[in-house]
Amino acid sequence: MKKFFGIILLADIFYTHGKSRGLRIAALSSFLLLALAVRAALPMVFEERSDPGNLFGRLAEQRQVMAMFMDHPLNGVGLNNFYYEASVKGKYRAFYGEIESVDYPHNNFGAVLAETGLTGFIPYFVSQALLVAAFWKIYRSHLPESKLIWTSFLYIFLGYWINGMSLASGYYSDLNLWYLLVIAIMMKFSVSRYSETHPGLSLL
């Protein structure tokens, strides 16, 4: 969560000016000072979360993902079969140094690639690229609310994908329903506002 808030604050600083930017820089500085205070007050907790073994375990996990994908490149090993193939059958053990993979993909793209192969991965990746392109087009449309819409989308997208690159959050139905609902509301608002300000024209 710390990396999520830090990146969101950096993005927010980029899109603000004047006093607002100063306030956000102060907030980011306070966030960094808080992290240092936690490190000083709770060194054991900080060391546990910053242990290189956590990173090496994730790197080993990506080797496991790629080994599984290379054996089943077209259709993958089957939806929700990653753990069975990796742990129960024990065929895809992987290591980074002396650290072993943890038998879960811990990555949305890795999970989709290993379990559905290129058949599922390509449309999944393209759908997210097209989603960003659609909201960028909204931003470039110069609607009165275009900047607000774009920055709101950007923060939601980053929040979803920053976490989605460290765990397979794409498999959580409640999270995906929330994500799609919020995106759909912003898209509907954008299209409706464009129709109001540009009669007879379509935004997308």
Side-chain angles (χ1 to χ4, degrees):
M1 291 301 293
K2 290 185 289 185
K3 60 187 176 185
F4 164 68
F5 287 118
I7 292 173
I8 293 298
L9 274 172
L10 284 173
D12 200 37
I13 289 168
F14 178 79
Y15 283 106
T16 54
H17 302 281
K19 292 182 179 179
S20 295
R21 175 173 287 185
L23 290 172
R24 285 158 174 77
I25 291 173
L28 182 59
S29 300
S30 299
F31 176 76
L32 294 173
L33 288 172
L34 178 62
L36 292 174
V38 170
R39 180 177 183 178
L42 302 168
M44 294 183 64
V45 174
F46 189 87
E47 288 172 8
E48 178 185 349
R49 299 310 301 168
S50 60
D51 183 358
N54 290 327
L55 173 61
F56 296 160
R58 300 301 172 92
L59 293 174
E61 190 57 49
Q62 301 320 304
R63 289 182 173 179
Q64 188 175 56
V65 166
M66 290 308 299
M68 205 174 291
F69 165 69
M70 294 303 292
D71 278 357
H72 306 85
L74 187 59
N75 294 317
V77 297
L79 198 61
N80 286 322
N81 281 343
F82 190 101
Y83 180 76
Y84 176 77
E85 292 289 333
S87 182
V88 178
K89 295 177 69 173
K91 181 180 178 182
Y92 294 101
R93 293 180 67 195
F95 292 84
Y96 189 91
E98 298 180 352
I99 306 298
E100 186 176 0
S101 55
V102 295
D103 297 334
Y104 288 97
H106 284 288
N107 181 310
N108 282 344
F109 283 135
V112 173
L113 186 65
E115 295 191 349
T116 67
L118 294 175
T119 304
F121 179 81
I122 291 174
Y124 185 58
F125 180 84
V126 170
S127 69
Q128 297 305 299
L130 291 175
L131 187 63
V132 173
F135 275 92
W136 182 251
K137 187 173 181 179
I138 292 170
Y139 178 61
R140 298 295 297 274
S141 69
H142 303 297
L143 283 171
E145 301 88 359
S146 60
K147 182 179 178 181
L148 176 62
I149 294 166
W150 166 252
T151 53
S152 298
F153 162 75
L154 182 63
Y155 300 156
I156 292 168
F157 185 83
L158 287 174
Y160 182 85
W161 277 104
I162 289 169
N163 288 311
M165 297 307 287
S166 59
L167 72 157
S169 58
Y171 282 38
Y172 301 158
S173 58
D174 51 349
L175 175 60
N176 283 302
L177 287 172
W178 173 86
Y179 178 61
L180 292 174
L181 174 63
V182 175
I183 295 295
I185 291 172
M186 290 195 295
M187 182 65 71
K188 174 62 177 176
F189 174 78
S190 305
V191 171
S192 299
R193 285 290 290 137
Y194 193 82
S195 297
E196 292 173 5
T197 56
H198 300 77
L201 297 178
S202 175
L203 176 60
L204 300 175

